[in-house]
Amino acid sequence: MRCLYPVPSARPAPGAGSPAGPDSRPPQDPLDSLEGLADAYAYPDRAAGPYLRANMVASLDGAAWHDGKSQGLSSAADLRIFGTLRALADVVVVGAGTVRQEGYQPAKAREVFAERRAAAGQGPAAAIAVLSASLDLDFSLPLFTSPLVPTLVLTGATAPPERVAAATRAGAVVVTAGDGAGADPARAVRELAERGLTRMLHEGGPRLLAQFAAAGVVDELCLTIAPLLTAGDAPRIMNGPGVTVPERFSPALILEEDGFLFTRYTRG
């Protein structure tokens, strides 16, 4: 894997990165190592408050998946970055539709990241936070019955009581993050942060991610651009309510391997 941006010749002096945001210097360690990737995608200082990063993949023509799943657009390098981003996060935020569609499993503890997570005060693996209004989920799945860290279910105050009870019986932690049927994105971020889960990784799906973007709580987008044309009617990576005024994001990192581009854009 090679770094296209920032270019090595443009490396600023040590300490030139913003203390409140991601370091924009080129990675110091080889990007083919997981340690190098972890350095390249490190979260900003927790003192700056909660930070929500989204990670998505798209084809050249803008499709967010192929044949109903994002796996058809992925690659070995994409999976390495996917795993690294999960290993850096306190919590993975995902919609119920994506859980059903992608067959979500609990996050795993990985020995290669154990020391880094311990030094950051993190548990063995990220928690999974599922957002759902109806709680139409299979609570017999390992995601709910046997995660290393209890799975969170974020919903609204008027969620069906019998489904809330089913989630609780399965071992999930139900969090009220909205006054209506579903969770409010801004309140979801606050609720997670109040539980000490400030390093957030949003994995979609497209409709839910659009809701978070419209609420102004997306701080960073990590977008894999697959060198593939799919056509068809798959949605974009954000396919829901629009942002009133388009928000400017700036490139922090662009990597390449086997024709795939791995981009990292931050707010501002």
Side-chain angles (χ1 to χ4, degrees):
M1 185 176 290
R2 58 182 178 137
C3 181
L4 303 181
Y5 179 87
V7 295
S9 61
R11 180 178 300 174
S18 168
D23 194 336
S24 62
R25 287 174 290 169
Q28 304 292 309
D29 295 327
L31 288 165
D32 291 324
S33 75
L34 293 177
E35 282 295 324
L37 284 178
D39 289 340
Y41 285 94
Y43 277 85
D45 192 331
R46 291 185 74 187
Y51 190 88
L52 190 139
R53 159 188 288 163
N55 182 38
M56 300 292 282
V57 62
S59 67
L60 281 178
D61 51 324
W65 59 57
H66 180 62
D67 282 345
K69 293 188 177 182
S70 59
Q71 183 179 357
L73 303 177
S74 189
S75 69
D78 182 53
L79 291 176
R80 290 201 305 273
I81 291 175
F82 174 88
T84 299
L85 296 184
R86 279 197 163 198
L88 295 174
D90 296 326
V91 61
V92 176
V93 179
V94 64
T98 300
V99 167
R100 292 188 291 264
Q101 189 168 314
E102 301 279 354
Y104 258 59
Q105 298 291 321
K108 298 177 181 178
R110 300 179 63 186
E111 184 61 32
V112 68
F113 294 110
E115 185 175 342
R116 181 184 288 264
R117 289 189 65 86
Q122 296 173 299
I128 306 293
V130 183
L131 274 72
S132 176
S134 66
L135 276 68
D136 180 18
L137 296 158
D138 183 353
F139 293 117
S140 69
L141 294 175
L143 176 62
F144 302 103
T145 61
S146 57
L148 281 174
V149 182
T151 294
L152 305 170
V153 178
L154 277 64
T155 189
T158 63
E162 68 279 6
R163 299 305 298 162
V164 172
T168 303
R169 285 195 302 271
V173 177
V174 179
V175 178
T176 300
D179 295 328
D184 171 75
R187 184 168 166 185
V189 169
R190 292 196 302 271
E191 292 286 346
L192 293 172
E194 288 175 3
R195 286 162 171 77
L197 306 174
T198 59
R199 305 176 186 93
M200 304 176 193
L201 175 63
H202 199 304
E203 293 183 351
R207 182 162 183 79
L208 183 64
L209 183 54
Q211 293 170 6
F212 274 67
V217 294
V218 176
D219 298 298
E220 176 180 322
L221 174 62
C222 294
L223 175 62
T224 295
I225 302 173
L228 304 169
L229 292 176
T230 66
D233 56 1
R236 297 158 44 196
I237 64 165
M238 296 187 190
N239 192 50
V243 176
T244 304
V245 178
E247 190 170 10
R248 179 67 181 253
F249 279 60
S250 300
L253 186 69
I254 302 175
L255 309 178
E256 184 274 339
E257 182 174 299
D258 195 28
F260 286 75
L261 295 179
F262 307 97
T263 70
R264 182 184 183 191
Y265 283 82
T266 58
R267 187 202 304 270

